[in-house]
Structure formats: C-alpha cells, structure tokens
Amino acid sequence: MSEKLKIKISIADRVYPLTVEPSQEEGLRSASKKIDTMIKQFEQNYAVRDKQDVLAMCALQFASQVEQKQIDKTTIEETTLLKLEKLNELLGEYLLK
C-alpha cells in the first residue's frame, strides 16, 4: 500500500491542505490550475465582484462539460449498438444463404 501525500492546493487565492494518494496529485494540481485560469477569464470578461460567484460559474462550467461528455458518450454508444445490430443482422442473412 502506498503512502499518502500531504499537499497544498491553491484555488482562488486560498490554500487547501489535502492528503491524497500519489496517483491523484497530478490530477489535482492540474485541476487547480484550470480552475484558476477559468477564474481569471471570468473576472476579465464579466463584472463579477464576489469570488463565490466566480467559483459557482466555474463549477457550472466544469459540471456542464462532464454532463455533455456523458451525453455524447451515450449517443455514441447507442449509435454503435445500432450499427452492430445491423451488421449482425446482415451477417446472419449472409450465413443463411
């Protein structure tokens, strides 16, 4: 079993101490950087006064990206399933000849 790491992640000028698995560290640091980049973009593009509003907008942005990927994945899976069913049907017809 691997030792857990104690790291500090900074988001919106606040530091959050975390204890994580070594395999999680890179993802958390990358996510922290993406959040800070998004915060800066929202602050530059919109008249946002409160960090909580900016963080809520970031959360909505990330959540909508996750949801859209899930919708896209489901659509691709359904399309693939239909194609496989059609291919199976064609193969069945060919083998019966």
Side-chain angles (χ1 to χ4, degrees):
M1 185 164 62
S2 64
E3 290 288 320
K4 293 203 174 197
L5 297 175
K6 292 186 183 220
I7 64 172
K8 293 181 180 178
I9 298 291
S10 175
I11 299 172
D13 301 324
R14 292 185 76 177
V15 176
Y16 298 91
L18 301 172
T19 303
V20 300
E21 295 290 332
S23 61
Q24 295 176 306
E25 182 182 12
E26 183 180 353
L28 287 166
R29 292 193 187 281
S30 175
S32 170
K33 287 178 185 174
K34 287 180 182 179
I35 292 169
D36 279 335
T37 299
M38 192 177 289
I39 286 170
K40 287 178 183 138
Q41 288 174 344
F42 280 128
E43 287 176 335
Q44 288 172 356
N45 295 328
Y46 302 100
V48 182
R49 296 182 190 154
D50 188 3
K51 282 283 188 197
Q52 185 173 345
D53 290 338
V54 176
L55 288 168
M57 292 167 70
C58 288
L60 179 61
Q61 182 80 15
F62 282 118
S64 68
Q65 289 172 359
V66 169
E67 289 299 317
Q68 189 59 52
K69 284 181 182 178
Q70 186 60 40
I71 291 167
D72 294 346
K73 180 181 174 193
T74 301
T75 302
I76 290 170
E77 288 173 353
E78 289 171 355
T79 302
T80 302
L81 182 60
L82 288 173
K83 288 180 179 181
L84 286 171
E85 287 172 350
K86 182 67 177 171
L87 181 59
N88 193 36
E89 183 181 307
L90 290 170
L91 286 171
E93 290 173 8
Y94 178 76
L95 292 174
L96 290 175
K97 289 184 181 181

